[in-house]
Amino acid sequence: MGNSSADAEERKEMDIRSFSSSQHNQTPYIHKVGVPPKQDIFKEFKTTVKETFFADDPLRSFKDQPRSRKLVLGLQAIFPILDWGRSYNFRKFRGDLIAGLTIASLCIPQDIGYSKLANLAPQYGLYSSFVPPLIYAFMGSSRDIAIGPVAVVSLLLGTLLRNEIDPTTNPTEYLRLAFTATFFAGITQATLGILRLGFLIDFLSHAAVVGFMGGAAITIALQQLKGFLGIKKFSTKTDIISVMKSVFHSVDHGWNWQTILVGSTFLTFLLFAKYIGKKNKRLFWVPAIAPLISVVLSTFFVYITHADKKGVAIVGHIDTGINPSSVKKMYFTGDYLIKGIRTGIVAGMIALTEAVAIGRTFASMKDYQLDGNKEMVALGAMNIVGSMTSCYVATGSFSRSAVNYMAGCQTAVSNIVMSVVVFLTLEFITPLFKYTPNAILAAIIISAVIGLIDYEAAILIWKIDKFDFVACIGAFFGVVFASVEIGLLIAVTISFAKILLQVTRPRTATLGRIPRTNVYRNIQQYPEATKVPGVLIVRVDSAIYFSNSNYIKERILRWLMDEEEQLKAASLPKIQFLIVEMSPVIDIDTSGIHALEELHRSLQKRNVQLVLSNPGRVVIDKLHASNFPSQIGEDKIFLTVADAVLTCSFKLPEEV
């Protein structure tokens, strides 16, 4: 073992000597770093704005088109149905009809249950699956997303609104605030789309969303224990400790065994139906239709046994008819206006994050492009119209969208079919839900939210990035042990903290030469890479801005100090050249240039020369504008690390 390591060291030394001798036996050709031509300031600003807000070049299709054609393209951009509708045929309609009927059977019982999460009457959940899907079908660009109320947004909206108004003592004011919040959720979504600020939702990292959704699923399931166990007095708080206290304090006198029997029986049935659907993809319709079957059977059971007289809580009366107007019910003045705006922004952002993520997932599965900004405008428009027609915040539902996809939907017409079924339900069938037990709604919600707990994604996050896992678990525990708002705040805070950490503390690395090549790579990644005598090569893996410039300067000097200590201990020659590899440095500001100037002065005091390698177009342009090359010498800037090392190695004997 000792012999092999000794042989490796000997080969390394020979490689260094052969490299050094080869450098001195030939005159190198060094290609100079190009200085870009000066650009017009207005043109450069225009290019920057275009890349920031219009990277997808949305007006490309309008170029060289007559005015009439531009008008048609403009209408198609706002209403995509005018584009794909021209090629619509009976074969596609057949797929959409089957998918629409399938998701309708799933959405009706879910909507009644989700409205309870938002502390609203059952009909408002159904209203929100009637108007918003119709608007989205005309304006949305996703073929697969199914629109309606979702568990997480319903819980979030209900929690935020209950903090402002008690829905039990002031139901009218609570309802008005819900419509107001929905209106401003739509305004927020549409504004982000129109101003092309969709990238803002990406600041909530995937890990934080996984943790938040998992925590929300646990919280939603715990909230259902009230209906599942037949408890009448229940905590208004959502944290696990308060909920469990309510549950166990009611053991002796609050639990209703008939309710528990109904709930547990149908929960078992629903979970078994889900299991069948997972095991055999062709039976996707089994878990989709199971909730409606459960509602029908449990309602019939309660009706014929008069279980409602024995303590089994039922839904009760549901208003018949389609959505009434709610324009005059919204707050546009007074204290509740600000509260509605605040609640609407939060709910709108979360709804947007969920819908765009779902839309992108299914778009990638079917290999078509999804315009994120168009999606935001469509979602915003449907919630604005929805707020005026007695709806609360609607968005894309993952469970319904998955069923929609599996059922063979072809276009957004499946949403129209679902809306028609909901319309018929509101007009003719709602009285039949009077005897539906609350326990079955609780069972449906519990079975639906279980899928939001993505433990496999959490395990993968742990394997890939420990800091991401901290964000995931922080958001999860924040929701479970505090509240939905606290969990959301933790998720956003940790996501921003990660961004700040990566910006202010970028990675740096020392480079060595891969044996028998002129390639220089990170020594930690390639331990066999050899250091060049008298030369230290440091790579900066980030743009150099005011936020990190001082750290980068100090980190480079620390690399130099560590290297000199090692050389001194080994009685080897000192470092005479420090090469900064700038290929990853995409930009630099005035603070960054000042940091390089200070680094240059510090190195001069140590008799070490600063050398730059491969600065990009933007960086070299700014360096020349600040006259920095003349400070270190025009001949100290090279195209590659190999060129820099080659030149420095020629100078080393002269310097010694």
Side-chain angles (χ1 to χ4, degrees):
M1 191 74 178
N3 291 335
S4 62
S5 62
D7 291 342
E9 285 297 320
E10 187 177 345
R11 283 197 301 271
K12 209 168 185 178
E13 288 295 325
M14 289 175 63
D15 193 57
I16 292 172
R17 285 198 297 271
S18 64
F19 170 72
S20 181
S21 62
S22 67
Q23 305 288 28
H24 294 289
N25 290 335
Q26 54 181 323
T27 304
Y29 166 73
I30 305 297
H31 192 87
K32 290 186 177 180
V33 174
V35 180
K38 288 286 182 182
Q39 280 196 336
D40 179 72
I41 295 177
F42 177 75
K43 186 178 179 182
E44 190 172 354
F45 175 76
K46 183 180 176 182
T47 303
T48 303
V49 171
K50 182 180 177 181
E51 286 302 314
T52 303
F53 297 103
F54 305 97
D56 56 342
D57 195 9
L59 301 178
R60 187 191 305 120
S61 59
F62 289 81
K63 290 178 182 176
D64 304 322
Q65 297 290 339
R67 185 173 296 178
S68 58
R69 179 60 182 163
K70 287 181 179 178
L71 177 62
V72 172
L73 290 172
L75 290 172
Q76 288 178 351
I78 300 171
F79 303 104
I81 194 172
L82 299 177
D83 183 21
W84 56 259
R86 293 180 301 167
S87 59
Y88 198 72
N89 53 43
F90 181 76
R91 185 183 61 81
K92 290 181 179 179
F93 176 70
R94 186 175 58 186
D96 288 334
L97 179 64
I98 294 170
L101 292 173
T102 308
I103 58 175
S105 67
L106 176 63
C107 87
I108 292 168
Q110 281 187 347
D111 291 345
I112 296 172
Y114 291 159
S115 62
K116 288 185 175 294
L117 288 176
N119 304 310
L120 296 170
Q123 63 266 21
Y124 294 105
L126 294 171
Y127 292 161
S128 302
S129 278
F130 172 46
V131 173
L134 287 175
I135 304 298
Y136 181 85
F138 283 86
M139 300 186 68
S141 57
S142 173
R143 305 172 195 166
D144 304 278
I145 198 167
I147 298 297
V150 297
V152 173
V153 176
S154 298
L155 175 68
L156 177 65
L157 189 69
T159 304
L160 294 175
L161 293 176
R162 190 172 53 215
N163 291 341
E164 307 296 342
I165 302 175
D166 188 337
T168 306
T169 56
N170 297 300
T172 304
E173 287 79 2
Y174 181 90
L175 184 62
R176 292 183 65 187
L177 189 59
F179 295 148
T180 307
T182 301
F183 176 79
F184 286 105
I187 291 291
T188 301
Q189 294 168 337
T191 302
L192 289 175
I194 293 169
L195 299 181
R196 305 188 69 79
L197 298 174
F199 59 85
L200 292 177
I201 65 173
D202 293 330
F203 281 98
L204 197 60
S205 69
H206 170 69
V209 171
V210 168
F212 175 77
M213 289 294 187
I218 297 290
T219 301
I220 291 167
L222 290 173
Q223 289 290 304
Q224 301 316 303
L225 293 178
K226 177 184 179 182
F228 194 81
L229 302 174
I231 301 172
K232 293 182 179 178
K233 291 184 179 179
F234 202 73
S235 173
T236 56
K237 297 180 180 178
T238 59
D239 64 281
I240 188 170
I241 295 173
S242 300
V243 170
M244 296 315 294
K245 278 183 180 178
S246 289
V247 170
F248 290 115
H249 285 168
S250 306
V251 171
D252 295 330
H253 56 278
W255 292 18
N256 181 276
W257 71 266
Q258 293 96 332
T259 302
I260 297 171
L261 179 63
V262 172
S264 56
T265 301
F266 284 101
L267 179 59
T268 304
F269 168 69
L270 290 167
L271 294 176
F272 181 67
K274 269 197 162 188
Y275 174 77
I276 291 174
K278 281 187 177 181
K279 292 295 277 185
N280 190 339
K281 297 296 182 184
R282 292 182 179 179
L283 298 176
F284 67 89
W285 54 270
V286 174
I289 203 169
L292 188 59
I293 292 173
S294 300
V295 167
V296 172
L297 292 178
S298 61
T299 302
F300 180 70
F301 172 78
V302 169
Y303 179 74
I304 62 171
T305 61
H306 302 288
D308 55 311
K309 302 286 195 306
K310 300 172 184 176
V312 176
I314 57 174
V315 170
H317 175 72
I318 300 178
D319 289 348
T320 305
I322 60 172
N323 311 30
S325 173
S326 54
V327 176
K328 296 181 179 179
K329 293 181 180 179
M330 287 187 278
Y331 290 110
F332 290 110
T333 56
D335 295 338
Y336 287 134
L337 173 62
I338 301 301
K339 294 174 181 178
I341 293 173
R342 187 170 62 239
T343 304
I345 290 173
V346 175
M349 291 292 283
I350 294 299
L352 201 57
T353 302
E354 187 171 355
V356 172
I358 293 167
R360 286 173 178 170
T361 299
F362 289 104
S364 64
M365 291 169 69
K366 282 193 175 179
D367 193 27
Y368 66 89
Q369 292 296 318
L370 188 75
D371 190 325
N373 290 296
K374 281 185 183 177
E375 283 296 284
M376 293 174 195
V377 173
L379 292 165
M382 75 179 193
N383 277 315
I384 291 171
V385 176
S387 68
M388 299 175 182
T389 53
S390 300
C391 304
Y392 73 95
V393 182
T395 187
S397 165
F398 187 81
S399 59
R400 278 180 236 174
S401 299
V403 170
N404 199 29
Y405 172 81
M406 294 295 293
C409 72
Q410 299 295 315
T411 66
V413 170
S414 60
N415 277 290
I416 298 176
V417 174
M418 180 186 71
S419 292
V420 171
V421 175
V422 172
F423 163 75
L424 294 174
T425 302
L426 284 166
E427 284 289 349
F428 306 110
I429 307 176
T430 48
L432 300 179
F433 291 116
K434 179 179 180 180
Y435 291 98
T436 301
N438 288 337
I440 191 61
L441 299 178
I444 289 170
I445 292 173
I446 291 171
S447 67
V449 299
I450 285 174
L452 296 177
I453 306 171
D454 196 349
Y455 66 90
E456 290 180 351
I459 293 170
L460 184 62
I461 290 167
W462 166 258
K463 291 178 180 177
I464 295 173
D465 192 321
K466 301 300 184 287
F467 195 95
D468 259 359
F469 185 75
V470 171
C472 176
I473 212 72
F476 177 82
F477 284 125
V479 174
V480 172
F481 286 98
S483 65
V484 176
E485 312 98 283
I486 297 297
L488 183 59
L489 182 62
I490 291 173
V492 173
T493 302
I494 295 179
S495 295
F496 270 100
K498 183 180 181 182
I499 294 171
L500 289 174
L501 189 63
Q502 290 177 336
V503 170
T504 59
R505 294 294 182 267
R507 296 182 187 276
T508 58
T510 55
L511 307 185
R513 188 174 72 90
I514 303 296
R516 296 176 178 79
T517 71
N518 283 325
V519 177
Y520 292 81
R521 291 293 182 267
N522 188 344
I523 289 175
Q524 289 184 338
Q525 185 178 358
Y526 299 94
E528 71 274 14
T530 57
K531 295 180 180 179
V532 180
V535 179
L536 175 64
I537 310 166
V538 179
R539 187 182 69 209
V540 179
D541 293 334
S542 165
I544 306 176
Y545 292 130
F546 65 93
S547 58
N548 62 22
S549 57
N550 193 55
Y551 169 79
I552 289 173
K553 179 198 71 175
E554 292 177 353
R555 189 67 187 92
I556 292 174
L557 289 173
R558 198 156 73 247
W559 279 119
L560 178 62
M561 291 166 60
D562 293 344
E563 187 69 19
E564 286 182 334
E565 286 176 6
Q566 293 177 19
L567 294 173
K568 187 176 180 181
S571 300
L572 294 173
K574 293 179 62 178
I575 297 294
Q576 296 185 44
F577 293 94
L578 190 148
I579 301 173
V580 179
E581 156 68 313
M582 302 186 74
S583 297
V585 181
I586 57 172
D587 201 358
I588 191 169
D589 65 2
T590 51
S591 298
I593 293 172
H594 284 310
L596 289 180
E597 291 171 346
E598 291 173 8
L599 176 64
H600 174 55
R601 287 193 290 269
S602 298
L603 294 176
Q604 281 182 318
K605 294 175 184 177
R606 291 178 166 85
N607 293 318
V608 177
Q609 297 184 48
L610 176 63
V611 178
L612 303 182
S613 166
N614 195 29
R617 185 189 70 82
V618 174
V619 175
I620 193 66
D621 192 34
K622 291 183 178 181
L623 290 177
H624 275 282
S626 66
N627 208 31
F628 183 72
S630 63
Q631 296 179 38
I632 64 171
E634 294 279 356
D635 59 340
K636 298 291 195 308
I637 302 177
F638 296 90
L639 186 63
T640 66
V641 174
D643 287 349
V645 171
L646 200 61
T647 304
C648 294
S649 64
F650 269 98
K651 295 180 180 180
L652 278 172
E654 301 169 12
E655 302 289 338
V656 175

